[in-house]
Amino acid sequence: MTAAGEAHGLFSTLTGNEPVGLWSAPGRVNLIGEHTDYNDGFVFPFATPHRTHVALGRRSDGRIRVVSTFDTEPVEVALADLDALFPERRDEVVEWARYPLGVAWALLQATGTDAASVTGVDLAFASDVPVGAGLSSSAAIEGATGSALNDVWGLGLDRVALAQAGRRAENEAVGAPTGIMDQMASMLGETDAGTFLDCRSLDAQVVALGFDAAGLELMVIDTRVAHAHSTGGYGERRAACERGAEAMGVPALRDVRVDQLPQVEQLVDEVTYRRVRHVVTENQRVLDTVRTLREQGPRAIGDLLYASHASMRDDFEISVPELDLAVETARENGAVGARMTGGGFGGSAIALIDRATVPAVRDAVLAAFAAAGHTEPHVFTVRPSEGARRDG
């Protein structure tokens, strides 16, 4: 059964009724631009074919109830109580449910809407976005929830505003200090294209990737090493970035150029400097990647992908042995480029490879992981896809 069918079936089991509609939003792969988003920088993700689906029905009692195939125990609260829950009492809510409930809260906050003026809802979720793979299953939940509630509540918000509500939910209702890249990619994705995003202005440009015409596939190597962004490592790195910006007297690391890095090195400790160096050089790599795609095509971006991985491994220190092995194995087997993707500390690597070599690269990765004694990774290819939508 498809995830859409599972969401529909779960809703019917929960309520005994048919939903009024089905909505979905995709996960994302970030081609390049890691940990630059919360530094007001540049990112270049695309939406994946994997999606989270939600079936929604109205209630007459002013309450919101959420349930998922991931956790079939329903979570129910009064819409009027969301303000009391978030952010101060978020720990009272099971973590997965903070995402959809947090989006409902953020939407009401963003629009100044009285909870008493909108209908209660039941929401049933199912997803084929791999959880913990670094493909932003969280943004997919947020995008599906935001799209559904925006329609049913008649809020009239555009896609950027829905992405902003998703980020607020993740930051304040969940407690993960992430930027807005994932939500924007999930909302704005288009087929066969990436979303080049300025995270300060939220200006977005659709940039053709040209993978298909070049005979290339984008392989995802999910290491199955789970990560959790709301735990310490992510927050520590964000704090280091803020220290670096403060030392340079700028609002964010977006405002630091590569040629200013020697000045940064004189002002901060060695670890903070390396964190700053990653962000500053990664911003430049995003700009270089977009320019190179437009001028030379996708086969010319490989060195930028490899350099991005080295920077995350050595300067930001968010890789793990499994990610490094995936990247090096892809390189040894002829990949155009490869890098870890996502927030780090686990998750996935990506490799841009010739279509004809997909089986050989997959076999090489599986063999390398087995030889190293690692858990067998989940290896699959993805093609850039469309963003959040109503499906029925």
Side-chain angles (χ1 to χ4, degrees):
M1 182 182 292
T2 65
E6 290 179 342
H8 187 283
L10 182 60
F11 181 90
S12 297
T13 299
L14 178 70
T15 68
N17 298 311
E18 288 292 301
V20 299
L22 288 164
W23 289 260
S24 68
R28 66 93 190 94
V29 165
N30 192 23
L31 186 64
I32 196 163
E34 225 65 76
H35 289 265
T36 50
D37 57 346
Y38 56 80
N39 289 289
D40 282 0
F42 302 100
V43 294
F44 191 34
F46 62 83
T48 74
H50 305 87
R51 305 182 76 85
T52 292
H53 297 260
V54 62
L56 180 148
R58 295 184 178 90
R59 299 170 61 113
S60 60
D61 59 358
R63 299 181 70 80
I64 180 170
R65 179 169 53 165
V66 297
V67 66
S68 170
T69 54
F70 184 72
D71 183 350
T72 55
E73 183 68 31
V75 177
E76 181 178 334
V77 301
L79 288 169
D81 289 341
L82 291 174
D83 277 345
L85 277 176
F86 301 124
E88 286 81 8
R89 292 165 47 203
R90 64 187 179 216
D91 289 345
E92 297 178 19
V93 181
V94 62
E95 185 168 0
W96 86 264
R98 297 178 206 165
Y99 291 94
L101 295 180
V103 169
W105 165 74
L107 290 174
L108 295 176
Q109 288 269 315
T111 57
T113 301
D114 187 341
S117 68
V118 295
T119 182
V121 287
D122 285 314
L123 300 166
F125 294 88
S127 180
D128 58 18
V129 181
V131 175
L135 304 187
S136 200
S137 55
S138 57
I141 294 175
E142 292 154 6
T145 305
S147 299
L149 294 178
N150 188 48
D151 286 354
V152 171
W153 286 349
L155 300 177
L157 296 175
D158 64 18
R159 287 175 175 262
V160 172
L162 293 177
Q164 290 172 312
R167 175 180 58 177
R168 185 173 186 190
E170 190 141 351
N171 290 173
E172 299 184 36
V174 179
T178 57
I180 200 169
M181 172 184 68
D182 296 351
Q183 293 81 9
M184 289 288 281
S186 186
M187 294 305 303
L188 299 175
E190 293 192 19
T191 301
D192 195 32
T195 301
F196 172 42
L197 175 65
D198 180 333
C199 294
R200 171 169 286 167
S201 67
L202 300 188
D203 288 339
Q205 299 176 35
V206 175
V207 178
L209 292 169
F211 293 166
D212 190 50
L216 296 172
E217 295 281 350
L218 199 290
M219 177 177 283
V220 177
I221 304 161
D222 175 7
T223 66
R224 301 186 190 269
V225 177
H227 58 186
H229 285 170
S230 54
T231 55
Y234 194 110
E236 289 168 4
R237 280 151 183 79
R238 183 162 185 162
C241 294
E242 291 168 354
R243 289 196 303 272
E246 182 179 6
M248 288 294 288
V250 295
L253 291 183
R254 151 70 172 275
D255 303 298
V256 180
R257 302 184 310 273
V258 173
D259 63 7
Q260 292 177 300
L261 284 171
Q263 182 182 350
V264 177
E265 190 172 17
Q266 299 301 313
L267 296 173
V268 298
D269 63 87
E270 187 265 340
V271 171
T272 299
Y273 170 66
R274 287 190 289 108
R275 306 296 189 247
V276 171
R277 182 169 60 184
H278 164 70
V279 173
V280 172
T281 58
E282 185 81 345
N283 270 325
Q284 187 61 52
R285 282 187 288 269
V286 175
L287 299 175
D288 291 344
T289 297
V290 171
R291 186 189 68 253
T292 301
L293 275 170
R294 287 169 167 161
E295 295 177 354
Q296 302 177 55
R299 288 186 175 273
I301 66 171
D303 287 346
L304 292 162
L305 301 182
Y306 285 126
S308 175
H309 182 78
S311 181
M312 290 184 286
R313 181 192 64 212
D314 301 335
D315 278 355
F316 225 60
E317 296 183 288
I318 55 172
S319 190
V320 296
E322 290 88 344
L323 289 168
D324 295 338
L325 180 61
V327 170
E328 286 309 308
T329 303
R331 185 201 294 264
E332 291 166 1
N333 286 271
V336 171
R339 62 186 286 274
M340 59 153 285
T341 188
F345 309 105
S348 297
I350 57 172
L352 189 60
I353 59 177
D354 282 288
R355 184 172 296 126
T357 66
V358 168
V361 175
R362 178 186 291 113
D363 289 347
V365 168
L366 294 176
F369 271 62
H374 297 321
T375 299
E376 181 176 300
H378 180 207
V379 183
F380 54 97
T381 59
V382 294
R383 294 194 173 184
S385 302
E386 65 181 300
R389 67 188 183 215
R390 182 166 184 168
D391 296 313

